[in-house]
Amino acid sequence: MRDNPFPVHWPLTPELDLEQKIDVEIRMREGTTRLLAACRHQTQTLEAAKSLHTSNERMSAYMAELQRRRRAPARTLSQSTPSTARVSVSDLRMPLMWRDTDHFKNKGDHRRFAVFVLTRIGTQILDSTLLCPVDRSLTDLTYPDVHVFNNVPTDFELRLEIWGHVMQDDMSIASTPHKIKRSIHSSISRTVGKKLAASLRDELNTGRIGPNFELMASAHLSLDDVGDSVHTHDLQLENVEPRSHQLPLFGHFCCRLAAQPDCVSREAYSGNALLLESSGVWTQMHGALQAFRLDLWRSLNDKEAAKKPAKTVTVDRDTLIQPGKSGSREILISNVIEGCDNVVILKAGSAEEQHKWIRNLTQHSKDHLRWKQAALEKMEIQSPGSNRNFVRQLRQGSLYDETPLIESVQTEFANHRPTVQDIFGLTPASSLSSCASSSSSPTFRERSHSNSKPRPNSGTIRSHWPFSRNNHD
Protein backbone atom coordinates (compact mmCIF):
# COMPACT_ATOMS: atom_id res chain seq x y z
CA MET A 1 0.00 0.00 0.00
CA ARG A 2 1.46 3.34 -1.05
CA ASP A 3 1.99 6.16 1.40
CA ASN A 4 -0.41 9.06 1.31
CA PRO A 5 1.37 11.92 -0.52
CA PHE A 6 -0.78 14.42 1.37
CA PRO A 7 -0.45 13.53 5.05
CA VAL A 8 -2.86 15.00 7.57
CA HIS A 9 -1.31 17.65 9.84
CA TRP A 10 -2.34 18.56 13.34
CA PRO A 11 -3.10 22.22 14.13
CA LEU A 12 0.00 24.32 13.57
CA THR A 13 1.73 26.72 15.90
CA PRO A 14 1.95 30.32 14.62
CA GLU A 15 5.69 29.90 13.93
CA LEU A 16 5.24 26.66 11.98
CA ASP A 17 2.35 28.19 10.05
CA LEU A 18 4.60 31.09 9.00
CA GLU A 19 7.34 28.68 7.95
CA GLN A 20 4.91 26.82 5.71
CA LYS A 21 3.72 30.09 4.18
CA ILE A 22 7.34 31.02 3.45
CA ASP A 23 7.87 27.64 1.81
CA VAL A 24 4.78 28.18 -0.38
CA GLU A 25 6.02 31.59 -1.50
CA ILE A 26 9.47 30.19 -2.30
CA ARG A 27 7.88 27.59 -4.56
CA MET A 28 5.64 30.23 -6.13
CA ARG A 29 8.67 32.38 -6.77
CA GLU A 30 10.58 29.56 -8.43
CA GLY A 31 7.66 28.70 -10.71
CA THR A 32 6.99 32.35 -11.58
CA THR A 33 10.67 32.92 -12.39
CA ARG A 34 10.64 30.03 -14.87
CA LEU A 35 7.40 31.31 -16.36
CA LEU A 36 8.84 34.81 -16.66
CA ALA A 37 11.88 33.53 -18.53
CA ALA A 38 9.61 31.70 -20.98
CA CYS A 39 7.18 34.59 -21.64
CA ARG A 40 7.23 36.05 -25.14
CA HIS A 41 4.37 38.55 -24.94
CA GLN A 42 4.53 41.82 -23.05
CA THR A 43 1.23 41.33 -21.20
CA GLN A 44 2.28 37.89 -19.95
CA THR A 45 5.68 39.23 -18.91
CA LEU A 46 4.16 42.08 -16.90
CA GLU A 47 1.65 39.81 -15.16
CA ALA A 48 4.39 37.34 -14.26
CA ALA A 49 6.62 40.16 -13.00
CA LYS A 50 3.77 41.45 -10.83
CA SER A 51 3.21 37.99 -9.34
CA LEU A 52 6.93 37.62 -8.67
CA HIS A 53 7.07 41.01 -6.97
CA THR A 54 4.04 40.22 -4.80
CA SER A 55 5.50 36.85 -3.80
CA ASN A 56 8.78 38.50 -2.80
CA GLU A 57 6.94 41.06 -0.67
CA ARG A 58 4.94 38.36 1.11
CA MET A 59 8.00 36.22 1.74
CA SER A 60 9.88 39.20 3.23
CA ALA A 61 6.92 40.02 5.49
CA TYR A 62 6.66 36.40 6.71
CA MET A 63 10.38 36.20 7.48
CA ALA A 64 10.36 39.50 9.37
CA GLU A 65 7.35 38.41 11.43
CA LEU A 66 8.93 35.03 12.16
CA GLN A 67 12.09 36.69 13.49
CA ARG A 68 10.04 39.10 15.58
CA ARG A 69 8.06 36.28 17.19
CA ARG A 70 11.15 34.28 17.98
CA ARG A 71 12.83 37.24 19.66
CA ALA A 72 9.74 38.40 21.55
CA PRO A 73 9.32 37.03 25.09
CA ALA A 74 6.63 34.46 25.74
CA ARG A 75 3.33 36.04 26.74
CA THR A 76 0.73 34.58 29.04
CA LEU A 77 -2.80 34.21 27.76
CA SER A 78 -5.09 37.03 28.79
CA GLN A 79 -8.37 36.25 30.50
CA SER A 80 -10.24 38.29 27.90
CA THR A 81 -9.41 38.63 24.22
CA PRO A 82 -10.29 41.85 22.38
CA SER A 83 -12.43 41.37 19.31
CA THR A 84 -10.72 41.50 15.93
CA ALA A 85 -12.47 42.54 12.72
CA ARG A 86 -12.71 42.13 8.97
CA VAL A 87 -11.41 45.14 7.07
CA SER A 88 -12.06 45.77 3.38
CA VAL A 89 -10.65 48.24 0.86
CA SER A 90 -12.71 48.96 -2.27
CA ASP A 91 -13.70 51.72 -4.71
CA LEU A 92 -10.08 52.64 -5.27
CA ARG A 93 -9.48 55.59 -7.62
CA MET A 94 -6.41 57.75 -8.21
CA PRO A 95 -6.48 60.88 -10.41
CA LEU A 96 -3.60 61.47 -12.81
CA MET A 97 -2.17 64.90 -13.62
CA TRP A 98 -1.26 65.24 -17.31
CA ARG A 99 -0.63 68.51 -19.07
CA ASP A 100 -3.49 69.86 -21.17
CA THR A 101 -1.58 69.34 -24.41
CA ASP A 102 -0.93 65.71 -23.44
CA HIS A 103 -4.51 64.78 -22.60
CA PHE A 104 -6.70 67.03 -24.74
CA LYS A 105 -4.57 67.22 -27.88
CA ASN A 106 -3.15 63.70 -27.48
CA LYS A 107 0.45 64.71 -28.10
CA GLY A 108 3.57 65.44 -26.12
CA ASP A 109 3.97 62.96 -23.26
CA HIS A 110 4.23 59.50 -24.79
CA ARG A 111 5.01 57.57 -21.61
CA ARG A 112 3.11 54.37 -20.92
CA PHE A 113 2.97 52.61 -17.57
CA ALA A 114 1.90 49.32 -16.07
CA VAL A 115 0.49 49.97 -12.59
CA PHE A 116 -0.87 47.85 -9.74
CA VAL A 117 -1.59 48.38 -6.05
CA LEU A 118 -0.48 46.44 -2.98
CA THR A 119 -2.40 46.71 0.29
CA ARG A 120 -0.98 45.22 3.47
CA ILE A 121 -1.94 44.83 7.11
CA GLY A 122 0.72 42.96 9.05
CA THR A 123 1.66 39.86 7.09
CA GLN A 124 -1.48 39.96 4.95
CA ILE A 125 -0.50 41.38 1.54
CA LEU A 126 -3.02 41.60 -1.32
CA ASP A 127 -2.44 42.75 -4.89
CA SER A 128 -4.78 44.42 -7.34
CA THR A 129 -5.42 44.06 -11.04
CA LEU A 130 -2.60 45.21 -13.31
CA LEU A 131 -3.64 48.26 -15.33
CA CYS A 132 -1.78 48.40 -18.63
CA PRO A 133 -1.23 50.53 -20.55
CA VAL A 134 -1.67 53.70 -18.50
CA ASP A 135 -1.04 56.68 -20.75
CA ARG A 136 -2.13 60.27 -21.36
CA SER A 137 -5.61 59.18 -22.46
CA LEU A 138 -6.53 58.22 -18.87
CA THR A 139 -7.46 60.85 -16.30
CA ASP A 140 -7.65 58.49 -13.33
CA LEU A 141 -6.83 54.94 -12.31
CA THR A 142 -9.88 52.91 -11.29
CA TYR A 143 -9.51 49.49 -9.65
CA PRO A 144 -12.49 47.12 -9.38
CA ASP A 145 -10.77 44.96 -6.75
CA VAL A 146 -12.05 44.37 -3.21
CA HIS A 147 -9.34 43.54 -0.68
CA VAL A 148 -10.52 41.85 2.52
CA PHE A 149 -8.32 41.33 5.60
CA ASN A 150 -9.26 38.99 8.44
CA ASN A 151 -8.49 38.99 12.18
CA VAL A 152 -7.44 42.64 12.19
CA PRO A 153 -6.86 44.31 15.60
CA THR A 154 -8.06 47.81 16.47
CA ASP A 155 -4.57 49.34 16.28
CA PHE A 156 -4.07 48.21 12.67
CA GLU A 157 -2.19 50.23 10.08
CA LEU A 158 -3.08 49.63 6.46
CA ARG A 159 -0.32 50.53 4.05
CA LEU A 160 -1.28 51.14 0.44
CA GLU A 161 1.49 51.07 -2.16
CA ILE A 162 1.33 52.03 -5.84
CA TRP A 163 3.85 50.13 -7.94
CA GLY A 164 4.56 51.13 -11.52
CA HIS A 165 6.73 50.14 -14.42
CA VAL A 166 7.45 52.50 -17.28
CA MET A 167 7.33 50.66 -20.59
CA GLN A 168 10.61 51.94 -22.01
CA ASP A 169 10.26 50.13 -25.32
CA ASP A 170 7.05 52.00 -26.09
CA MET A 171 8.46 55.29 -24.79
CA SER A 172 11.62 55.18 -26.90
CA ILE A 173 9.93 54.10 -30.12
CA ALA A 174 6.68 56.05 -29.79
CA SER A 175 7.87 59.11 -31.70
CA THR A 176 10.51 57.39 -33.88
CA PRO A 177 10.00 57.56 -37.66
CA HIS A 178 9.02 54.34 -39.38
CA LYS A 179 12.33 53.96 -41.21
CA ILE A 180 14.33 54.26 -38.00
CA LYS A 181 12.08 51.67 -36.35
CA ARG A 182 12.76 49.23 -39.16
CA SER A 183 16.52 49.81 -38.93
CA ILE A 184 16.48 49.17 -35.18
CA HIS A 185 14.57 45.91 -35.54
CA SER A 186 16.70 44.71 -38.45
CA SER A 187 20.06 45.51 -36.84
CA ILE A 188 19.53 44.57 -33.20
CA SER A 189 20.57 40.95 -33.68
CA ARG A 190 23.79 41.93 -35.51
CA THR A 191 25.02 44.85 -33.42
CA VAL A 192 23.91 44.32 -29.83
CA GLY A 193 22.84 40.69 -29.79
CA LYS A 194 25.87 39.50 -27.80
CA LYS A 195 25.70 42.37 -25.33
CA LEU A 196 21.96 41.82 -24.83
CA ALA A 197 22.47 38.10 -24.20
CA ALA A 198 25.24 38.85 -21.67
CA SER A 199 22.99 41.37 -19.92
CA LEU A 200 20.17 38.84 -19.64
CA ARG A 201 22.59 36.26 -18.22
CA ASP A 202 23.76 38.77 -15.63
CA GLU A 203 20.19 39.54 -14.62
CA LEU A 204 19.38 35.85 -14.33
CA ASN A 205 22.46 35.21 -12.18
CA THR A 206 21.75 38.15 -9.85
CA GLY A 207 18.07 37.27 -9.48
CA ARG A 208 16.90 40.31 -11.49
CA ILE A 209 14.80 39.18 -14.42
CA GLY A 210 11.90 40.71 -16.24
CA PRO A 211 10.31 44.16 -15.77
CA ASN A 212 11.19 45.96 -12.55
CA PHE A 213 8.32 47.65 -10.69
CA GLU A 214 9.16 50.77 -8.69
CA LEU A 215 7.31 52.23 -5.71
CA MET A 216 5.53 55.35 -6.99
CA ALA A 217 3.52 56.40 -3.93
CA SER A 218 2.21 55.11 -0.62
CA ALA A 219 -0.39 55.92 2.02
CA HIS A 220 -1.17 54.87 5.59
CA LEU A 221 -4.73 54.34 6.86
CA SER A 222 -5.97 53.39 10.31
CA LEU A 223 -9.19 52.91 12.26
CA ASP A 224 -9.77 56.68 12.22
CA ASP A 225 -10.18 56.52 8.43
CA VAL A 226 -12.91 53.87 8.52
CA GLY A 227 -16.32 54.78 7.12
CA ASP A 228 -19.24 53.38 5.17
CA SER A 229 -18.71 55.74 2.22
CA VAL A 230 -15.85 56.72 -0.06
CA HIS A 231 -13.37 59.27 1.30
CA THR A 232 -10.33 61.09 -0.07
CA HIS A 233 -6.90 60.49 1.43
CA ASP A 234 -3.41 61.87 0.86
CA LEU A 235 -0.70 60.07 -1.08
CA GLN A 236 2.98 60.33 -0.26
CA LEU A 237 4.79 60.52 -3.59
CA GLU A 238 8.16 58.80 -3.87
CA ASN A 239 11.26 60.22 -5.54
CA VAL A 240 11.72 58.01 -8.58
CA GLU A 241 14.88 58.37 -10.63
CA PRO A 242 14.94 59.27 -13.44
CA ARG A 243 12.03 61.66 -13.17
CA SER A 244 10.65 60.45 -16.50
CA HIS A 245 9.78 57.16 -14.76
CA GLN A 246 7.50 58.91 -12.24
CA LEU A 247 3.80 58.24 -12.68
CA PRO A 248 1.98 61.63 -12.86
CA LEU A 249 -0.11 61.16 -9.72
CA PHE A 250 -2.20 64.01 -8.35
CA GLY A 251 -1.25 63.35 -4.70
CA HIS A 252 -4.64 62.10 -3.50
CA PHE A 253 -6.74 58.97 -3.87
CA CYS A 254 -10.25 57.82 -3.05
CA CYS A 255 -11.29 54.55 -1.45
CA ARG A 256 -13.84 52.99 0.86
CA LEU A 257 -12.22 51.57 4.01
CA ALA A 258 -14.78 49.54 5.95
CA ALA A 259 -14.45 47.49 9.12
CA GLN A 260 -16.82 45.06 10.80
CA PRO A 261 -15.85 43.69 14.24
CA ASP A 262 -16.10 39.93 14.54
CA CYS A 263 -18.28 40.32 17.62
CA VAL A 264 -20.90 41.88 15.33
CA SER A 265 -20.95 39.10 12.75
CA ARG A 266 -20.79 36.19 15.23
CA GLU A 267 -21.52 35.42 18.87
CA ALA A 268 -19.00 36.62 21.40
CA TYR A 269 -20.42 34.46 24.20
CA SER A 270 -23.54 32.48 25.05
CA GLY A 271 -24.86 30.56 28.04
CA ASN A 272 -27.66 30.07 30.56
CA ALA A 273 -28.57 32.45 33.38
CA LEU A 274 -31.51 33.45 35.56
CA LEU A 275 -33.28 36.74 34.88
CA LEU A 276 -34.95 38.70 37.67
CA GLU A 277 -38.39 39.68 36.36
CA SER A 278 -40.18 42.88 37.43
CA SER A 279 -42.49 40.69 39.51
CA GLY A 280 -39.51 39.51 41.57
CA VAL A 281 -39.48 36.00 40.06
CA TRP A 282 -36.29 34.40 38.70
CA THR A 283 -36.77 32.98 35.17
CA GLN A 284 -34.39 30.61 33.39
CA MET A 285 -33.02 32.19 30.21
CA HIS A 286 -30.54 31.44 27.46
CA GLY A 287 -28.47 34.47 26.50
CA ALA A 288 -26.30 35.30 23.48
CA LEU A 289 -23.90 38.25 23.37
CA GLN A 290 -23.53 39.70 19.87
CA ALA A 291 -23.58 43.04 18.04
CA PHE A 292 -23.30 44.97 21.31
CA ARG A 293 -26.45 43.63 22.86
CA LEU A 294 -27.48 40.69 25.01
CA ASP A 295 -30.46 38.76 23.64
CA LEU A 296 -32.36 36.54 26.09
CA TRP A 297 -34.68 33.66 25.08
CA ARG A 298 -36.85 31.41 27.22
CA SER A 299 -34.90 28.40 25.97
CA LEU A 300 -32.16 27.39 23.58
CA ASN A 301 -34.82 25.90 21.27
CA ASP A 302 -36.45 29.32 20.87
CA LYS A 303 -33.11 30.77 19.82
CA GLU A 304 -32.42 27.97 17.32
CA ALA A 305 -35.93 28.42 15.92
CA ALA A 306 -35.04 32.08 15.22
CA LYS A 307 -37.80 33.36 17.48
CA LYS A 308 -37.78 36.93 18.70
CA PRO A 309 -35.83 37.32 21.98
CA ALA A 310 -37.93 37.70 25.11
CA LYS A 311 -35.67 40.53 26.25
CA THR A 312 -32.80 42.53 24.73
CA VAL A 313 -30.24 44.41 26.80
CA THR A 314 -27.82 46.97 25.31
CA VAL A 315 -24.13 46.33 26.00
CA ASP A 316 -22.04 49.23 24.67
CA ARG A 317 -19.41 51.70 25.81
CA ASP A 318 -21.84 53.38 28.22
CA THR A 319 -22.97 50.15 29.87
CA LEU A 320 -21.86 49.47 33.45
CA ILE A 321 -21.30 45.80 34.38
CA GLN A 322 -20.88 44.95 38.06
CA PRO A 323 -21.01 41.82 40.22
CA GLY A 324 -23.73 41.57 42.85
CA LYS A 325 -23.25 41.03 46.54
CA SER A 326 -20.55 38.59 47.52
CA GLY A 327 -21.72 35.02 47.12
CA SER A 328 -24.94 35.98 45.33
CA ARG A 329 -23.63 35.07 41.84
CA GLU A 330 -25.58 38.06 40.50
CA ILE A 331 -24.58 40.25 37.54
CA LEU A 332 -25.81 43.83 37.31
CA ILE A 333 -26.08 45.42 33.81
CA SER A 334 -26.85 49.16 33.99
CA ASN A 335 -27.82 51.49 31.13
CA VAL A 336 -29.12 55.04 31.15
CA ILE A 337 -32.41 55.20 29.21
CA GLU A 338 -34.14 58.58 28.84
CA GLY A 339 -32.17 59.96 31.77
CA CYS A 340 -33.05 57.12 34.13
CA ASP A 341 -30.91 54.18 35.23
CA ASN A 342 -32.18 50.86 33.94
CA VAL A 343 -30.68 47.86 35.72
CA VAL A 344 -31.02 44.26 34.54
CA ILE A 345 -30.06 41.59 37.09
CA LEU A 346 -28.88 38.13 36.04
CA LYS A 347 -27.80 35.22 38.23
CA ALA A 348 -25.27 32.63 37.05
CA GLY A 349 -25.38 28.96 37.96
CA SER A 350 -21.96 29.03 39.63
CA ALA A 351 -19.21 31.45 40.61
CA GLU A 352 -17.18 30.34 37.60
CA GLU A 353 -20.06 31.05 35.23
CA GLN A 354 -20.56 34.43 36.88
CA HIS A 355 -16.89 35.23 36.27
CA LYS A 356 -17.19 34.24 32.58
CA TRP A 357 -20.32 36.34 32.08
CA ILE A 358 -18.78 39.43 33.70
CA ARG A 359 -15.52 39.00 31.78
CA ASN A 360 -17.24 38.70 28.38
CA LEU A 361 -19.78 41.42 29.05
CA THR A 362 -16.99 43.80 30.10
CA GLN A 363 -14.91 42.95 27.05
CA HIS A 364 -17.92 43.45 24.78
CA SER A 365 -18.43 46.90 26.28
CA LYS A 366 -14.75 47.75 25.76
CA ASP A 367 -14.87 46.53 22.15
CA HIS A 368 -17.66 48.98 21.44
CA LEU A 369 -15.39 51.80 22.59
CA ARG A 370 -12.23 50.48 20.92
CA TRP A 371 -13.77 50.05 17.46
CA LYS A 372 -15.09 53.64 17.39
CA GLN A 373 -17.11 54.37 14.22
CA ALA A 374 -17.06 50.72 13.12
CA ALA A 375 -19.08 49.86 16.23
CA LEU A 376 -21.58 52.69 15.83
CA GLU A 377 -22.71 51.67 12.33
CA LYS A 378 -22.73 48.30 10.65
CA MET A 379 -20.60 48.46 7.52
CA GLU A 380 -20.95 46.04 4.64
CA ILE A 381 -17.89 43.95 3.85
CA GLN A 382 -17.97 43.02 0.18
CA SER A 383 -16.65 39.70 -1.03
CA PRO A 384 -13.36 39.86 -2.96
CA GLY A 385 -14.98 38.50 -6.11
CA SER A 386 -17.88 40.94 -6.25
CA ASN A 387 -18.00 43.58 -8.94
CA ARG A 388 -20.29 45.88 -7.01
CA ASN A 389 -18.96 49.38 -6.64
CA PHE A 390 -20.63 51.99 -4.46
CA VAL A 391 -19.31 54.97 -6.43
CA ARG A 392 -18.85 53.73 -9.97
CA GLN A 393 -22.56 52.96 -10.40
CA LEU A 394 -23.36 56.65 -9.91
CA ARG A 395 -20.31 58.03 -11.69
CA GLN A 396 -20.02 58.91 -15.35
CA GLY A 397 -17.05 60.57 -17.00
CA SER A 398 -13.77 61.56 -15.43
CA LEU A 399 -12.93 62.15 -11.80
CA TYR A 400 -12.06 65.71 -12.84
CA ASP A 401 -15.70 66.31 -13.76
CA GLU A 402 -16.69 65.78 -10.13
CA THR A 403 -14.06 68.11 -8.59
CA PRO A 404 -15.64 71.32 -7.16
CA LEU A 405 -14.05 74.49 -8.55
CA ILE A 406 -15.90 77.31 -6.78
CA GLU A 407 -15.98 77.82 -3.03
CA SER A 408 -18.92 80.17 -2.49
CA VAL A 409 -21.63 81.24 -4.93
CA GLN A 410 -24.73 83.38 -4.31
CA THR A 411 -26.65 82.06 -7.32
CA GLU A 412 -28.53 78.89 -8.13
CA PHE A 413 -25.49 76.99 -6.83
CA ALA A 414 -25.93 78.37 -3.31
CA ASN A 415 -27.12 75.07 -1.85
CA HIS A 416 -24.28 72.94 -3.18
CA ARG A 417 -20.74 73.29 -4.46
CA PRO A 418 -20.87 73.24 -8.29
CA THR A 419 -18.80 70.90 -10.38
CA VAL A 420 -17.36 71.38 -13.84
CA GLN A 421 -20.59 70.05 -15.31
CA ASP A 422 -22.70 72.61 -13.40
CA ILE A 423 -20.52 75.58 -14.31
CA PHE A 424 -20.16 74.89 -18.02
CA GLY A 425 -23.50 73.19 -18.64
CA LEU A 426 -22.05 69.81 -19.54
CA THR A 427 -24.16 66.68 -19.50
CA PRO A 428 -22.96 63.83 -17.24
CA ALA A 429 -22.06 61.72 -20.24
CA SER A 430 -19.75 64.34 -21.73
CA SER A 431 -16.51 63.99 -19.80
CA LEU A 432 -13.32 65.89 -20.46
CA SER A 433 -11.96 62.85 -22.24
CA SER A 434 -14.90 62.62 -24.60
CA CYS A 435 -14.67 66.35 -25.33
CA ALA A 436 -11.12 65.95 -26.54
CA SER A 437 -11.72 62.77 -28.53
CA SER A 438 -13.88 64.45 -31.17
CA SER A 439 -12.30 67.06 -33.42
CA SER A 440 -15.69 68.48 -34.45
CA SER A 441 -16.86 69.23 -30.92
CA PRO A 442 -16.08 72.65 -29.36
CA THR A 443 -13.10 72.98 -27.10
CA PHE A 444 -13.19 73.48 -23.36
CA ARG A 445 -12.45 77.22 -23.74
CA GLU A 446 -15.21 77.61 -26.35
CA ARG A 447 -17.70 75.93 -24.00
CA SER A 448 -16.78 78.30 -21.21
CA HIS A 449 -17.26 81.41 -23.41
CA SER A 450 -20.56 80.16 -24.82
CA ASN A 451 -21.94 79.55 -21.32
CA SER A 452 -20.58 82.71 -19.73
CA LYS A 453 -23.68 84.90 -20.18
CA PRO A 454 -24.40 87.08 -17.14
CA ARG A 455 -27.03 85.72 -14.78
CA PRO A 456 -29.56 87.95 -13.04
CA ASN A 457 -28.96 88.64 -9.36
CA SER A 458 -25.59 86.95 -9.54
CA GLY A 459 -23.40 87.40 -6.51
CA THR A 460 -19.66 87.41 -6.13
CA ILE A 461 -17.96 84.29 -7.39
CA ARG A 462 -14.62 83.52 -5.82
CA SER A 463 -12.56 80.94 -7.69
CA HIS A 464 -10.56 78.43 -5.74
CA TRP A 465 -8.20 76.79 -8.19
CA PRO A 466 -5.71 74.52 -6.44
CA PHE A 467 -2.74 75.57 -8.61
CA SER A 468 -3.35 79.33 -8.77
CA ARG A 469 -0.43 81.50 -7.64
CA ASN A 470 -2.83 84.32 -6.81
CA ASN A 471 -4.95 82.20 -4.52
CA HIS A 472 -4.63 83.75 -1.06
CA ASP A 473 -7.86 82.48 0.46
Side-chain angles (χ1 to χ4, degrees):
M1 184 175 182
R2 298 180 58 184
D3 295 335
N4 184 5
F6 303 102
V8 178
H9 296 283
W10 294 103
L12 303 176
T13 63
E15 290 77 10
L16 187 57
D17 183 47
L18 278 177
E19 290 178 355
Q20 288 198 351
K21 288 181 178 179
I22 292 173
D23 183 63
V24 169
E25 294 303 329
I26 290 175
R27 295 181 182 180
M28 289 289 295
R29 189 184 187 282
E30 292 175 350
T32 306
T33 303
R34 290 193 294 268
L35 176 63
L36 189 57
C39 287
R40 294 295 178 266
H41 299 285
Q42 186 181 52
T43 303
Q44 296 175 345
T45 302
L46 291 170
E47 287 287 352
K50 178 181 82 79
S51 300
L52 181 61
H53 181 87
T54 305
S55 183
N56 288 337
E57 292 292 327
R58 286 174 179 162
M59 188 167 59
S60 299
Y62 293 153
M63 294 177 68
E65 178 65 16
L66 184 61
Q67 293 179 359
R68 187 193 68 82
R69 290 182 181 181
R70 288 176 175 175
R71 293 175 181 175
R75 294 180 299 177
T76 58
L77 294 177
S78 175
Q79 291 185 344
S80 59
T81 304
S83 176
T84 56
R86 298 179 69 211
V87 175
S88 70
V89 181
S90 62
D91 303 279
L92 192 60
R93 288 192 295 164
M94 303 167 191
L96 298 176
M97 188 169 56
W98 303 96
R99 294 177 300 179
D100 55 351
T101 56
D102 300 331
H103 177 67
F104 293 108
K105 298 182 180 180
N106 195 26
K107 65 180 182 179
D109 197 333
H110 49 258
R111 290 177 297 170
R112 304 177 75 195
F113 296 87
V115 187
F116 73 97
V117 175
L118 282 184
T119 54
R120 60 175 77 199
I121 297 180
T123 58
Q124 301 182 61
I125 300 178
L126 304 176
D127 60 329
S128 73
T129 304
L130 180 68
L131 296 186
C132 175
V134 174
D135 56 19
R136 61 196 177 197
S137 64
L138 296 180
T139 57
D140 54 272
L141 306 177
T142 303
Y143 288 91
D145 308 272
V146 178
H147 292 179
V148 178
F149 300 87
N150 298 311
N151 302 320
V152 177
T154 55
D155 58 347
F156 74 89
E157 180 185 74
L158 184 143
R159 177 175 169 85
L160 182 141
E161 300 173 348
I162 304 173
W163 292 87
H165 168 72
V166 61
M167 301 159 68
Q168 294 182 354
D169 293 339
D170 293 339
M171 183 181 69
S172 60
I173 301 180
S175 57
T176 306
H178 184 63
K179 292 182 179 179
I180 300 180
K181 291 181 185 179
R182 286 190 301 178
S183 64
I184 290 176
H185 288 296
S186 61
S187 62
I188 187 171
S189 59
R190 297 195 303 267
T191 58
V192 298
K194 293 182 179 180
K195 292 183 180 180
L196 182 59
S199 175
L200 291 176
R201 284 198 300 268
D202 292 339
E203 288 185 0
L204 189 59
N205 293 334
T206 57
R208 292 182 289 107
I209 182 173
N212 180 37
F213 285 90
E214 297 180 275
L215 181 62
M216 299 291 178
S218 62
H220 295 268
L221 303 178
S222 64
L223 181 59
D224 294 331
D225 300 305
V226 163
D228 202 25
S229 58
V230 177
H231 295 283
T232 304
H233 309 280
D234 294 333
L235 271 177
Q236 180 180 352
L237 303 182
E238 301 292 333
N239 293 323
V240 178
E241 296 296 338
R243 295 296 298 171
S244 60
H245 288 197
Q246 176 64 57
L247 187 68
L249 293 167
F250 187 73
H252 304 278
F253 74 100
C254 304
C255 76
R256 176 181 181 266
L257 179 66
Q260 186 179 102
D262 294 333
C263 60
V264 173
S265 57
R266 60 173 180 257
E267 287 185 3
Y269 184 73
S270 63
N272 296 323
L274 295 174
L275 171 67
L276 181 61
E277 303 278 7
S278 57
S279 60
V281 178
W282 291 97
T283 305
Q284 182 70 33
M285 291 286 187
H286 178 82
L289 189 61
Q290 181 180 352
F292 308 112
R293 67 177 186 268
L294 175 63
D295 294 328
L296 298 171
W297 290 269
R298 300 291 179 183
S299 65
L300 178 59
N301 293 333
D302 290 348
K303 172 190 171 184
E304 293 176 346
K307 292 184 178 180
K308 185 178 179 180
K311 188 175 184 62
T312 299
V313 184
T314 301
V315 181
D316 58 15
R317 67 191 67 186
D318 298 321
T319 303
L320 179 62
I321 296 100
Q322 292 177 312
K325 296 180 180 179
S326 179
S328 64
R329 307 192 307 276
E330 292 180 356
I331 306 161
L332 280 63
I333 306 174
S334 303
N335 287 290
V336 177
I337 301 177
E338 297 181 354
C340 300
D341 290 337
N342 182 274
V343 181
V344 175
I345 302 177
L346 300 177
K347 179 182 289 187
S350 63
E352 182 180 359
E353 290 182 4
Q354 179 196 25
H355 179 68
K356 289 181 180 179
W357 271 112
I358 293 177
R359 184 182 67 199
N360 286 279
L361 286 168
T362 303
Q363 184 59 60
H364 208 61
S365 175
K366 291 181 179 179
D367 287 336
H368 190 269
L369 178 63
R370 287 159 55 90
W371 280 107
K372 300 180 180 178
Q373 186 66 22
L376 296 176
E377 58 177 324
K378 187 175 181 180
M379 303 178 188
E380 180 183 358
I381 303 296
Q382 304 176 59
S383 60
S386 66
N387 291 324
R388 286 187 54 208
N389 194 294
F390 288 87
V391 174
R392 196 174 299 115
Q393 291 178 347
L394 303 176
R395 170 176 168 263
Q396 294 181 357
S398 167
L399 182 63
Y400 295 155
D401 296 342
E402 303 171 8
T403 304
L405 298 180
I406 294 182
E407 188 177 73
S408 60
V409 183
Q410 303 297 328
T411 60
E412 67 267 24
F413 301 129
N415 295 328
H416 70 282
R417 296 186 67 187
T419 64
V420 174
Q421 298 172 357
D422 296 329
I423 296 173
F424 297 107
L426 303 179
T427 60
S430 60
S431 66
L432 297 182
S433 302
S434 61
C435 290
S437 61
S438 176
S439 58
S440 61
S441 60
T443 63
F444 184 84
R445 183 178 298 274
E446 292 171 347
R447 290 177 186 268
S448 64
H449 285 305
S450 63
N451 290 280
S452 59
K453 298 179 181 179
R455 299 184 178 92
N457 301 326
S458 61
T460 302
I461 300 179
R462 181 174 52 170
S463 77
H464 197 72
W465 297 90
F467 301 109
S468 175
R469 295 183 180 272
N470 299 324
N471 181 17
H472 301 291
D473 295 334

